[in-house]
Amino acid sequence: MYTTALITALLSATAFAAPVEQQLEKRACPGIHIFGARETTASPGYGSAGAVVNKILAAHSGSTAEAISYPACGGGSACGGVSYSNSVQQGTTAVVAAVSKFAKSCPSTEIVLVGYSQGSEIFDNALCGNGDPKQGLSASAAGSIASYNIKAAIFMGDPRFEVGAPYNVGTCKAGGFSSRPSGQTCGNYNSKIQSYCDAADPYCCNGNNAATHNGYANEYGSKALTFVNSKL
C-alpha cells in the first residue's frame, strides 16, 4: 500500500509536471520565424525568396524559417497542371493554415513573410484581405493572418502590385496582372510591407523583360534586409 507521504509526493510531482513542460515549450519558440513562398514553377522550397530568407536567418542568430507548401503552378505539366488561379487559392489557404498553426503555438515569436511573385500574391492575400477577385478568391474564402504577430512582409514581383501604395519600392507605375482595385491597400499593415517592382517587369508591372522579374533578390535583397531589421 502507498503511504500518505508517498501519495503526497506523487501528487506534488504531477502538479509541477505541466508548468515545467509549458516552460520547455516556450523556450523552444524562436525569437523570429520566417515564412517563405516561392514563385511559379520553382521547385518546392523557398525559390527566389530563399536569398532574402537566408539573409534574415544569418542576421538573427536563433531565428528559424519554413517554406509554404503549395503548387506554385501556372498550368504547366511540371507542377501538376494546376491552374494559376487554383494554385493561388490553394497557396492562400496554405499560408493561413501554416501561419495560424505556428502563431498559436508561439504567440510571442516575431513573424516575417518573404514572398516572390506568386509567393508574394498568396502572402498579400492572407495578410491584406479583401480577396483576390481576378483569381476567383473571395475575402471570406481567403481567411486572414492579420491578427498574428507579423512584423514585416517582403513582396517581390507581386502580381497584386498597385500603383501608389505607400509601401511600393521600384520604378513601376502600372498595376500587376492581378492588381488590387485602385486605392485598396493593406490597411494597418502598410508600414510593415515593402513591395518591390520595376517598370520592365511583365508580371507585377506592364513591361516585357522577364529577367527584371527574376532579379529582385539581387537588386533589392540588402534593402529588404535593412527594412526587416528595422521592424524587429
Side-chain angles (χ1 to χ4, degrees), residues 72-160:
C73 202
S77 59
C79 49
V82 179
S83 70
Y84 187 87
S85 291
N86 188 256
S87 181
V88 167
Q89 292 168 21
Q90 290 188 49
T92 304
T93 298
V95 168
V96 174
V99 175
S100 297
K101 180 180 179 181
F102 179 86
K104 288 174 182 177
S105 296
C106 296
S108 297
T109 297
E110 297 182 324
I111 295 173
V112 178
L113 311 176
V114 181
Y116 207 103
S117 193
Q118 187 177 165
S120 291
E121 184 164 0
I122 63 176
F123 279 141
D124 189 327
N125 289 343
L127 178 63
C128 301
N130 301 307
D132 192 345
K134 292 183 179 179
Q135 305 309 328
L137 185 68
S138 68
S140 59
S144 177
I145 57 173
S147 64
Y148 300 120
N149 193 27
I150 296 165
K151 294 298 183 179
I154 299 297
F155 301 156
M156 292 187 157
D158 184 3
R160 302 222 68 191

Side-chain angles (χ1 to χ4, degrees), residues 6-7 11 26 210:
L6 181 56
I7 291 172
L11 290 172
K26 288 179 180 178

Side-chain angles (χ1 to χ4, degrees), residues 1-229:
M1 295 180 65
Y2 293 121
T3 65
T4 301
L6 181 56
I7 291 172
T8 301
L10 288 171
L11 290 172
S12 297
T14 301
F16 282 104
V20 169
E21 184 178 354
Q22 290 170 3
Q23 289 173 8
L24 289 173
E25 288 177 354
K26 288 179 180 178
R27 284 204 299 270
C29 289
I32 299 166
H33 188 69
I34 309 150
F35 286 94
R38 71 194 193 279
E39 68 272 31
T40 307
T41 73
S43 299
Y46 298 109
S48 297
V52 178
V53 171
N54 287 334
K55 284 180 181 292
I56 301 169
L57 287 171
H60 298 276
S61 178
S63 58
T64 56
E66 66 180 281
I68 298 297
S69 178
Y70 84 112
C73 202
S77 59
C79 49
V82 179
S83 70
Y84 187 87
S85 291
N86 188 256
S87 181
V88 167
Q89 292 168 21
Q90 290 188 49
T92 304
T93 298
V95 168
V96 174
V99 175
S100 297
K101 180 180 179 181
F102 179 86
K104 288 174 182 177
S105 296
C106 296
S108 297
T109 297
E110 297 182 324
I111 295 173
V112 178
L113 311 176
V114 181
Y116 207 103
S117 193
Q118 187 177 165
S120 291
E121 184 164 0
I122 63 176
F123 279 141
D124 189 327
N125 289 343
L127 178 63
C128 301
N130 301 307
D132 192 345
K134 292 183 179 179
Q135 305 309 328
L137 185 68
S138 68
S140 59
S144 177
I145 57 173
S147 64
Y148 300 120
N149 193 27
I150 296 165
K151 294 298 183 179
I154 299 297
F155 301 156
M156 292 187 157
D158 184 3
R160 302 222 68 191
F161 189 90
E162 177 224 341
V163 179
Y167 42 74
N168 290 348
V169 178
T171 60
C172 180
K173 301 300 180 185
F177 69 80
S178 194
S179 61
R180 292 181 167 277
S182 179
Q184 187 190 90
T185 54
C186 205
N188 294 333
Y189 278 85
N190 284 347
S191 64
K192 299 184 179 184
I193 298 171
Q194 292 279 265
S195 183
Y196 300 92
C197 182
D198 286 330
D201 191 320
Y203 304 109
C204 63
C205 202
N206 62 347
N208 56 12
N209 187 349
T212 298
H213 184 71
N214 297 329
Y216 295 122
N218 288 330
E219 183 180 1
Y220 293 115
S222 295
K223 290 182 178 180
L225 176 62
T226 298
F227 175 77
V228 170
N229 288 343

